[in-house]
Amino acid sequence: MPDPVAHWWEGCVIYQLLPRSFADANGDGIGDLAGIRERLPYLSWLGVDAIWMTPIYPSPLKDGGYDITDFKSIHPDLGCMADLRQLLERAHRLGIKVVLDLVLNHTSVLHPWFQRARWAPSGSSERNFYVWRDRDDGYADAPVLFRRYESSNWEWDEVAGQYFLHRFLRHQPDLNYANPAVQEEMLAVVDFWLEQGIDGFRLDAVPFLFEEEGSRCEGLPETHAFLRRVRQRVDACDRDVLLLAEAIQPVQESAPYLAEGELHAAFEFALTAHLFAAVAQGRCDQLYTCLREAQNAVPGCRWALPLRNHDELWLGDGHLVSDAVVEAVCTGFPNAEGHWLNWGINRRLAPMLNGDPRPNTLLHSLIYSLPGIPCLYYGDELGMGDWPGLRDRDANRTPMAWTRDRAGGFSTAPDPLLVLPPITAPGYDYRVVNVAVQQQLSGSLLNWHHRMLTSRQQLPALRLGDFQLLESDHPSVLSYARSTGDMTMVVAANVSGTGASTQLDLGQWRGSRMREVVWGCEFPAASDSWFIYLPAYGFFWWLVGEADMVAEASEPPQPERAEPVAASS
Ligand code: GLC
Ligand code: CA
């Protein structure tokens, strides 16, 4: 029986992909919407419920497409509106939702609004689409975000004879939300994409919409008021549409985006940092604190949980997490050294973990079982590598590896035309680390994800259940319970590289049957001091009691089919 969820994203798993790097259908070397459509059966097999595509709009690509010249069309490299429609149709047939990235805060300098603003008379509404000053010392308390590339939030414009504000690159002027005309234009953008039938927006950089002297210019009341207007537009639409906030802030500051009448979900970047720190240190006391804080701030499953994404592994300068956590991550992973970019570590997950599959599966098992919306970054299901040395964050944005063919089956274009070089680094070569090969190998990381995700689909307690942290007297063992009315799961995870034996107090379920559900194994009945042994980076998901699972998850892994990677439409 389907779970009684009010919204499609409750209990879902989101797969983040970069349209330019996922699959190239027309052989020009650049991934496109048609390529994504062809690969949807793979994503359906993998067991994800939604895709989030980074920006698809026309852009000079100074910032991976987050510098937009037209909010209401599609970059010709990626296809056209008809391609998007076909992508949506096929995704919906397969039960997959499609989330667009929407950049509210800024445009490209090449956006017609900015070109018009530069030439428009000072003080006019056209000029005031952006934030101008005669001097470059305004909003001095607002940190420079891309501090590797920029030393100021202001850039001089010859034509306007004024400085304009840019919280990100100098190619990305901030829109001036204090101008009502800007608000109306951006709400019209929201309406436009709602009409195209999309299922959600990942709202980029939401804290920065409004500015105020003497503040960090983050999460001001006016910004929240505008986001409530966005929510109203979404509520007025007859479909169920997700609003997911990107606010790289501590939970006390990101929780307000989840207030009544505002956004539905927000990334929990502090938790991401704490997960890495726990593995780096082999202990989870601070992770416990972080989980408690996040659930106290916003209970339930409204935090989206990424391990990695297309940006740096964001750690910050003591604002997001403590200096000690930053230090733990930087020193705990030798492969992080030398890869600090602006505010964090510019590496993919597998190479950061030095190719060790154990902490990799451990971290994923946590995001797949903690309360929230797990976000899987494309390629991480394979343990794909990265290419340090590529420009900016491109190291983490290289083509998806599908097969052992040229360019990993990503494209038929000659190498020089490829959007980025496929990975051939030792240990991560696309001829070995690819979907087709890993589907054949029952012990592969890919088949592990498939099994975890399909098991999770049958475990409403893990997707929707209440969350209860369980005491553990071992510093490396994190344990918690998730329960819905008729199903309870207990999870235990060892974040260290040494085995751990401990006892859990399962007195509240005393005498209940305990079954490990992913691989299928009976344990002794629950008791007040229930003994467990977890190998290095080991974890278990136990079903408590006799709750009926839709299917026993203990069958062996399915023989893999060629179908998911075969391109078909
Ligand atoms: C977000 C995006 C990042 C981009 C920035 C500016 O943080 O994730 O990739 O550079 O916003 O738009
Ligand atoms: Ca293409």
Side-chain angles (χ1 to χ4, degrees):
M1 233 196 26
D3 312 314
V5 294
H7 301 293
W8 69 255
W9 55 85
E10 291 173 12
C12 85
V13 175
I14 296 180
Y15 185 92
Q16 181 197 353
L17 60 83
L18 304 193
R20 307 179 78 81
S21 294
F22 197 58
D24 170 22
N26 67 352
D28 65 355
I30 304 169
D32 42 47
L33 298 180
I36 299 171
R37 176 167 52 88
E38 288 172 359
R39 303 299 177 170
L40 287 170
Y42 162 73
L43 296 174
S44 160
W45 166 82
L46 178 60
V48 300
D49 308 287
I51 56 172
W52 148 33
M53 303 191 286
T54 53
I56 59 172
Y57 318 98
S59 161
L61 304 173
K62 296 281 187 199
D63 179 18
Y66 287 87
D67 47 329
I68 294 164
T69 54
D70 179 0
F71 286 103
K72 292 186 185 165
S73 65
I74 293 173
H75 195 298
D77 288 350
L78 302 180
C80 59
M81 282 295 175
D83 294 311
L84 180 68
R85 253 191 316 277
Q86 287 174 19
L87 167 58
L88 285 166
E89 271 165 28
R90 189 158 197 212
H92 291 164
R93 271 206 307 279
L94 289 165
I96 294 178
K97 304 289 183 180
V98 178
V99 176
L100 284 197
D101 216 313
L102 182 59
V103 183
L104 294 172
N105 182 65
H106 45 266
T107 69
S108 160
V109 281
L110 299 184
H111 195 292
W113 295 341
F114 187 75
Q115 292 306 318
R116 190 182 64 180
R118 306 170 70 200
W119 294 95
S122 176
S124 62
S125 171
E126 287 76 16
R127 171 71 67 96
N128 288 340
F129 257 55
Y130 296 84
V131 184
W132 301 93
R133 289 288 181 276
D134 294 330
R135 293 156 48 109
D136 63 354
D137 55 1
Y139 308 128
D141 297 324
V144 172
L145 297 167
F146 282 160
R147 56 186 181 179
R148 156 98 32 153
Y149 311 116
E150 304 291 355
S151 53
S152 160
N153 284 326
W154 297 97
E155 178 74 6
W156 175 253
D157 185 77
E158 271 308 330
V159 174
Q162 282 191 306
Y163 292 92
F164 64 86
L165 178 74
H166 61 91
R167 296 304 306 282
F168 294 90
L169 298 177
R170 69 189 73 176
H171 313 283
Q172 290 164 302
D174 273 46
L175 283 162
N176 178 19
Y177 274 81
N179 180 348
V182 167
Q183 297 196 23
E184 291 313 314
E185 286 285 3
M186 294 312 288
L187 291 170
V189 169
V190 170
D191 287 341
F192 177 83
W193 292 105
L194 289 174
E195 278 159 29
Q196 310 310 313
I198 58 106
D199 303 299
F201 293 108
R202 178 256 190 199
L203 296 177
D204 183 69
V206 289
F208 310 112
L209 305 187
F210 280 80
E211 295 78 35
E212 188 180 273
E213 279 302 347
S215 78
R216 284 175 67 96
C217 299
E218 293 174 11
L220 294 170
E222 298 85 345
T223 293
H224 288 287
F226 178 74
L227 293 172
R228 284 195 291 276
R229 295 189 70 196
V230 173
R231 171 64 183 270
Q232 284 160 10
R233 297 300 175 110
V234 160
D235 285 348
C237 149
D238 57 1
R239 290 173 304 105
D240 193 25
V241 173
L242 166 69
L243 291 175
L244 168 59
E246 186 220 25
I248 310 181
Q249 296 180 312
V251 287
Q252 299 77 3
E253 289 169 43
S254 47
Y257 297 98
L258 300 179
E260 186 65 30
E262 210 164 321
L263 309 181
H264 303 108
F267 293 104
E268 222 287 59
F269 291 107
L271 178 64
T272 305
H274 275 100
L275 286 170
F276 280 90
V279 168
Q281 295 173 300
R283 48 184 305 137
C284 43
D285 39 343
Q286 295 182 61
L287 182 55
Y288 264 100
T289 311
C290 173
L291 286 165
R292 256 185 222 110
E293 277 173 11
Q295 286 300 308
N296 288 341
V298 182
C301 299
R302 298 177 64 199
W303 295 112
L305 313 177
L307 288 173
R308 292 292 293 109
N309 60 20
H310 63 298
D311 292 326
E312 303 150 60
L313 168 59
W314 198 280
L315 298 169
D317 59 353
H319 187 67
L320 178 71
V321 289
S322 71
D323 288 341
V325 169
V326 178
E327 173 79 13
V329 179
C330 290
T331 54
F333 297 102
N335 285 359
E337 205 186 318
H339 294 277
W340 188 272
L341 192 64
N342 297 285
W343 297 85
I345 297 163
N346 195 26
R347 295 225 71 171
R348 262 197 184 258
L349 180 64
M352 172 107 175
L353 302 173
N354 201 25
D356 189 340
R358 298 168 308 164
N360 194 324
T361 50
L362 167 85
L363 286 166
H364 280 105
S365 82
L366 291 172
I367 63 165
Y368 290 164
S369 57
L370 284 167
I373 302 173
C375 300
L376 176 60
Y377 186 49
Y378 85 99
D380 280 356
E381 73 271 37
L382 307 172
M384 222 167 86
D386 54 16
W387 264 142
L390 291 182
R391 187 188 148 265
D392 190 23
R393 289 150 289 170
D394 284 353
N396 317 315
R397 300 176 177 185
T398 61
M400 177 71 176
W402 295 100
T403 66
R404 61 169 67 167
D405 301 337
R406 270 194 62 253
F410 160 72
S411 172
T412 54
D415 289 357
L417 297 186
L418 297 177
V419 64
L420 285 170
I423 304 289
T424 52
Y428 303 95
D429 193 306
Y430 66 77
R431 281 161 289 203
V432 181
V433 179
N434 67 56
V435 172
V437 165
Q438 290 204 13
Q439 282 188 321
Q440 302 303 319
L441 302 174
S442 49
S444 68
L445 198 54
L446 177 59
N447 276 319
W448 179 87
H449 280 277
H450 166 67
R451 192 168 179 81
M452 296 300 276
L453 291 171
T454 47
S455 299
R456 186 180 185 275
Q457 285 170 349
Q458 299 166 15
L459 299 167
L462 287 192
R463 288 183 291 116
L464 306 163
D466 295 346
F467 179 62
Q468 183 193 353
L469 277 165
L470 301 178
E471 301 272 318
S472 145
D473 57 10
H474 193 296
S476 307
V477 175
L478 173 70
S479 182
Y480 45 90
R482 306 280 321 269
S483 29
T484 47
D486 41 17
M487 178 183 280
T488 296
M489 301 282 309
V490 167
V491 173
N494 172 12
V495 299
S496 82
T498 353
S501 56
T502 187
Q503 302 193 350
L504 296 179
D505 178 357
L506 302 187
Q508 55 188 311
W509 302 289
R510 192 175 305 116
S512 296
R513 182 181 174 191
M514 296 294 289
R515 256 182 304 164
E516 193 284 321
V517 290
V518 181
W519 307 99
C521 177
E522 288 287 338
F523 276 64
S527 66
D528 304 6
S529 44
W530 197 60
F531 176 84
I532 51 166
Y533 169 74
L534 294 157
Y537 305 115
F539 55 87
F540 289 113
W541 290 358
W542 292 283
L543 179 66
V544 180
E546 299 296 332
D548 236 0
M549 287 178 60
V550 177
E552 279 294 328
S554 56
E555 74 208 43
Q558 296 298 307
E560 299 315 338
R561 318 129 237 242
E563 190 265 336
V565 285
S568 62
S569 53

